[in-house]
Amino acid sequence: TSGSYSDNWNYWNLIQPDADCEVYFTVNSIGVDGYFWAWLRFDSANLNGYGCYVSEFEQLARIYRLDNGIKTSLGSFSVNPANGDSVGLSAIGNLLTLYYKVGAGAWTQVAQATDSTYTSAGNIAVQGQEFTDSQKIDDVGGGSIIASGITTISPSTKLITISLNNA
């Protein structure tokens, strides 16, 4: 239906990584009007945290801060997202780093921001919003960043696939 949308949130309630952490996902089917977010340091009770975003419509990947459900852009990078591309965000102290990977290529750092609003550990979450198409993300993952730069939770296979259908 024109002008309507669905907004879906999912988060891991059994896994709470340390404050220094990362989150990422692969776009399986982006559609024209879809938006996908992955959040870290996520507080589901108050809708606070940091996230990364990719939009085919805007042709952007962004870093966001979420304050009581209100999204504020902290940095962005122009992209032409396609199915199979991946986006990720890491938080180490107050430094937020946005990563992008085209298809089977290598991860590339594309933007950074500093923000000290949320410094405590929180959950990893994903959010999807779509207007006219069915979108899917895949290979959602993330976790604590340990000294060597390796995450403690990193899937070798997909953990979750989210399909957002506008009915």
Side-chain angles (χ1 to χ4, degrees):
T1 306
S2 179
S4 67
Y5 67 91
S6 60
D7 194 4
N8 299 285
W9 295 77
N10 294 279
Y11 68 96
W12 280 266
N13 61 359
L14 298 177
I15 301 170
Q16 188 175 76
D18 297 331
D20 289 348
C21 60
E22 69 177 16
V23 63
Y24 51 87
F25 63 86
T26 299
V27 174
N28 185 291
S29 175
I30 195 161
V32 176
D33 296 327
Y35 302 87
F36 295 115
W37 290 269
W39 300 96
L40 48 76
R41 296 182 183 170
F42 181 68
D43 170 5
S44 63
N46 298 303
L47 293 180
N48 294 329
Y50 295 106
C52 58
Y53 155 97
V54 65
S55 165
E56 186 350 89
F57 174 72
E58 292 183 338
Q59 298 208 340
L60 287 175
R62 291 185 188 261
I63 301 172
Y64 271 100
R65 186 183 68 231
L66 185 68
D67 304 299
N68 297 311
I70 306 295
K71 297 175 180 120
T72 302
S73 179
L74 300 176
S76 65
F77 177 74
S78 295
V79 296
N80 187 10
N83 296 341
D85 289 0
S86 300
V87 64
L89 180 69
S90 69
I92 300 175
N94 68 351
L95 180 64
L96 305 165
T97 305
L98 179 66
Y99 295 92
Y100 199 81
K101 181 169 71 106
V102 177
W107 284 100
T108 303
Q109 177 184 314
V110 295
Q112 284 189 317
T114 56
D115 191 281
S116 57
T117 305
Y118 306 111
T119 57
S120 300
N123 293 97
I124 291 173
V126 290
Q127 177 191 14
Q129 184 178 58
E130 60 93 15
F131 294 87
T132 59
D133 300 313
S134 175
Q135 288 94 20
K136 296 179 182 177
I137 60 175
D138 206 352
D139 302 327
V140 175
S144 300
I145 297 175
I146 55 178
S148 64
I150 299 171
T151 58
T152 56
I153 306 165
S154 184
S156 58
T157 59
K158 64 184 172 189
L159 292 179
I160 188 170
T161 299
I162 298 172
S163 177
L164 308 171
N165 296 307
N166 183 23

